[in-house]
Amino acid sequence: MVASKTQSLKAMRVREERSYKIFRAFNTVIMTLVCAVMLYPFLYLVAQSLSSEEAIMQGQVSILPVHFNVATYVSVLKKGDFLFSYKNTLVYTIIGTAASMVFSCLIAYPLSKTKLWGNNIIMKMLIFTMYFGGGLIPNYILIQRLHLVNHVAGFIIPSLLSTYYIILMKSFFSSIPSSLEEAGQIDGLSPMGTLIYIVLPLSMPILATMLLFNAVGYWNNWYNAFLYLDKKDMWPVAYYLRTIISGASTSADPGDVSAEKMQIAANIKSCSMVLMALPIICIYPTIQKYYVQGMMLGGVKE
């Protein structure tokens, strides 16, 4: 009897090991295909941006450059306006992300306290803004009346806060044991000190996730510049490249049809996309380990 049970257990383990190996092989194949599908468009853009106009027009480019050249990159990077717009984007992204993180934390932390008077009312008011807004014209009039047109604040403030991000941070803060905060208060910490020295160090996953979201949002934001920034020397790189693609900011004469200009016209879109995505691609791996954890823990309890 004992021997038969032992044999049956061994048979079950063999089946489980075999099933796990099959699952692992199947999972590896599927994830490899998914990675290939996700990676191919970006490789295609890079290859296209480094290929000649003729190769692009004839459809010869796949994931490797054809007739390799960097004329488009040189032409774009030689423009002083491009580098100046890149500097503007760095300034807007750093200031805007820092301000968004500070204000989001200052809103989300009090709302994570269920005993706070008016908590439910404030949350309902915040959620209301997710579905209803004043509209484009009232927003523009408001920014204009505040004298923020052609001002850094006019680009940053309209995107300063996101209700969705605040809800995620609030949910994460709510998951932190209240006993830790009570211990800090016993040691003499003020509510602000509790937030800075206890809550925020324990909230690195959600903070890193929100940092990434806000930075990407400001980096890719061209619409605020389109609405509120009329001066060319204040344009972010996203809006500057958009105007190049649409031909709105070209400085060449209408009759200039040189080979260099023709090539820029053929692959400027690919070049601009690569230049726009490169900084985010470099930053993402450093905080990727926090990304999934922050999204999961931030959204579980809400």
Side-chain angles (χ1 to χ4, degrees):
M1 186 70 178
V2 175
S4 62
K5 288 184 178 180
T6 304
Q7 291 177 355
S8 62
L9 289 174
K10 289 182 179 180
M12 290 177 60
R13 290 174 182 174
V14 170
R15 286 197 298 269
E16 289 177 357
E17 291 178 359
R18 185 180 303 167
S19 300
Y20 177 72
K21 289 180 180 180
I22 295 173
F23 168 77
R24 186 170 59 180
F26 181 78
N27 192 43
T28 302
V29 172
I30 294 298
M31 294 307 299
T32 301
L33 292 175
V34 170
C35 291
V37 170
M38 298 293 290
L39 191 60
Y40 176 79
F42 183 74
L43 294 178
Y44 174 75
L45 285 175
V46 174
Q48 192 176 50
S49 67
L50 295 172
S51 300
S52 65
E53 178 204 2
E54 294 80 7
I56 297 172
M57 298 301 293
Q58 295 174 8
Q60 299 175 354
V61 182
S62 56
I63 61 174
L64 296 176
V66 179
H67 302 154
F68 181 85
N69 70 85
V70 292
T72 305
Y73 286 98
V74 173
S75 298
V76 172
L77 293 174
K78 280 170 58 178
K79 294 178 179 290
D81 293 341
F82 175 82
L83 296 178
F84 199 81
S85 299
Y86 228 93
K87 186 198 75 172
N88 289 341
T89 300
L90 287 174
V91 173
Y92 297 156
T93 301
I94 293 172
I95 296 176
T97 302
S100 295
M101 294 297 293
V102 170
F103 284 103
S104 296
C105 289
L106 293 179
I107 295 174
Y109 180 63
L111 291 177
S112 66
K113 307 305 174 187
T114 56
K115 295 182 180 180
L116 176 69
W117 185 87
N119 184 300
N120 292 332
I121 297 175
I122 298 174
M123 275 303 303
K124 290 178 180 178
M125 292 174 63
L126 283 174
I127 293 174
F128 180 84
T129 63
M130 294 180 68
Y131 304 102
F132 301 97
L136 177 60
I137 295 177
N139 284 337
Y140 181 82
I141 294 175
L142 175 62
I143 296 297
Q144 189 179 47
R145 294 286 178 86
L146 293 174
H147 303 288
L148 296 180
V149 176
N150 291 323
H151 195 279
V152 176
F155 180 84
I156 293 175
I157 289 178
S159 304
L160 187 63
L161 294 174
S162 168
T163 303
Y164 176 66
Y165 298 166
I166 292 173
I167 291 174
L168 286 178
M169 296 182 74
K170 169 189 173 295
S171 300
F172 193 96
F173 291 157
S174 299
S175 67
I176 297 176
S178 59
S179 58
L180 296 176
E181 300 179 44
E182 293 172 358
Q185 293 172 1
I186 292 174
D187 290 338
L189 287 177
S190 63
M192 183 62 69
T194 302
L195 172 64
I196 295 174
Y197 295 108
I198 295 179
V199 176
L200 293 184
L202 296 174
S203 304
M204 288 305 297
I206 194 66
L207 294 179
T209 303
M210 296 301 102
L211 183 70
L212 176 64
F213 284 174
N214 283 294
V216 171
Y218 278 109
W219 186 268
N220 293 329
N221 192 338
W222 62 269
Y223 193 63
N224 286 354
F226 172 72
L227 292 176
Y228 309 123
L229 300 181
D230 299 329
K231 296 181 179 178
K232 189 175 181 180
D233 58 356
M234 297 188 68
W235 286 355
V237 69
Y239 185 59
Y240 175 76
L241 291 176
R242 178 184 179 275
T243 57
I244 292 179
I245 293 172
S246 62
S249 66
T250 53
S251 59
D253 295 333
D256 186 0
V257 290
S258 63
E260 183 182 10
K261 295 299 180 182
M262 290 176 63
Q263 181 173 332
I264 292 175
N267 58 5
I268 185 63
K269 290 184 179 181
S270 301
C271 177
S272 62
M273 290 178 185
V274 172
L275 291 173
M276 280 295 299
L278 190 60
I280 300 301
I281 292 175
C282 294
I283 293 173
Y284 180 78
T286 62
I287 58 178
Q288 184 269 342
K289 62 181 180 180
Y290 298 112
Y291 179 77
V292 175
Q293 184 181 1
M295 287 298 295
M296 292 295 293
L297 295 179
V300 164
K301 295 187 65 177
E302 193 60 35

